[in-house]
Amino acid sequence: MNSKLENFLRRNCACADDIDRLEALGAETLADAWEKASPADLVWIVTRPGVMDAEQRRQFLVFVLESIEDKLTDPRSKNILDKLRANSPITKADKKAALAALATDASWAASWAAAEDAAAAARAAYAADADAADAACSAADASDAAADAAAAAADAARKAAREQQAQWIRTNFALSDLHIN
């Protein structure tokens, strides 16, 4: 690994696993890392502070938010995307409102919490009433299975999103367009 790549990784606090993955891929230079990095690692590289200029960040954010636009149910979240598309300034108030909207847009979190609560309630019922044991165990197993399925689906969705993001980055930016020094 050459000193330019090593300096970039150290300056950006890359963990040992990140460095080991790039070394295992045979990445000697930043160009090698650009070509060989996994989608998640490429997105990490490009999203380090200062690597993209303001316009590149705006374009990338539009791409990312458009990919989940159907999940943005709160107008405060949609406002950010609209402003990014129009290249309009985003105020601190806009940011604060969008953060508050996360609770609305994160319905998946509520589903996950409900599944965990159902499993806990079923286990509590088992402990309290031996006659309810079979029903409680069945409910807990179903809830655990639902939570596991939700986690697997979330992991798969995250991986697919990273692959799309990495493809977009490689299509829309050249390594020479980024600030990596």
Side-chain angles (χ1 to χ4, degrees):
M1 183 174 296
N2 76 14
S3 62
K4 193 171 183 179
L5 175 56
E6 191 172 327
N7 288 339
F8 176 84
L9 294 171
R10 287 179 194 221
R11 186 174 63 245
N12 288 287
C13 302
C15 68
D17 289 345
D18 296 336
I19 295 168
D20 290 346
R21 278 194 305 275
L22 288 172
E23 284 180 341
L25 293 170
E28 291 292 323
T29 65
L30 279 165
D32 290 343
W34 178 262
E35 292 298 320
K36 297 177 179 183
S38 71
D41 287 342
L42 180 66
V43 171
W44 179 87
I45 289 167
V46 172
T47 58
R48 295 305 86 210
V51 172
M52 290 188 281
D53 64 29
E55 178 59 15
Q56 291 167 328
R57 253 189 333 274
R58 185 191 71 78
Q59 291 173 6
F60 184 64
L61 286 170
V62 167
F63 170 75
V64 170
L65 290 174
E66 283 178 342
S67 72
I68 60 164
E69 187 171 6
D70 62 319
K71 293 171 181 59
L72 300 176
T73 59
D74 192 291
R76 297 169 293 182
S77 298
K78 291 180 179 186
N79 177 50
I80 296 292
L81 178 55
D82 292 341
K83 286 190 168 196
L84 285 167
R85 284 179 176 145
N87 203 10
S88 298
I90 297 171
T91 66
K92 286 184 180 181
D94 293 331
K95 292 176 189 176
K96 188 175 180 180
L99 285 173
L102 284 177
T104 304
D105 286 336
S107 59
W108 61 269
S111 300
W112 183 273
E116 289 180 342
D117 289 347
R123 288 186 189 95
Y126 176 78
D129 185 352
D131 292 337
D134 291 337
C137 286
S138 296
D141 289 345
S143 184
D144 285 346
D148 290 346
D155 287 343
R158 215 174 355 266
K159 183 178 178 185
R162 286 290 180 258
E163 288 171 2
Q164 290 173 345
Q165 293 165 3
Q167 179 60 43
W168 187 92
I169 288 167
R170 287 186 170 118
T171 300
N172 290 279
F173 300 143
L175 180 60
S176 60
D177 295 336
L178 302 170
H179 307 284
I180 51 175
N181 296 329

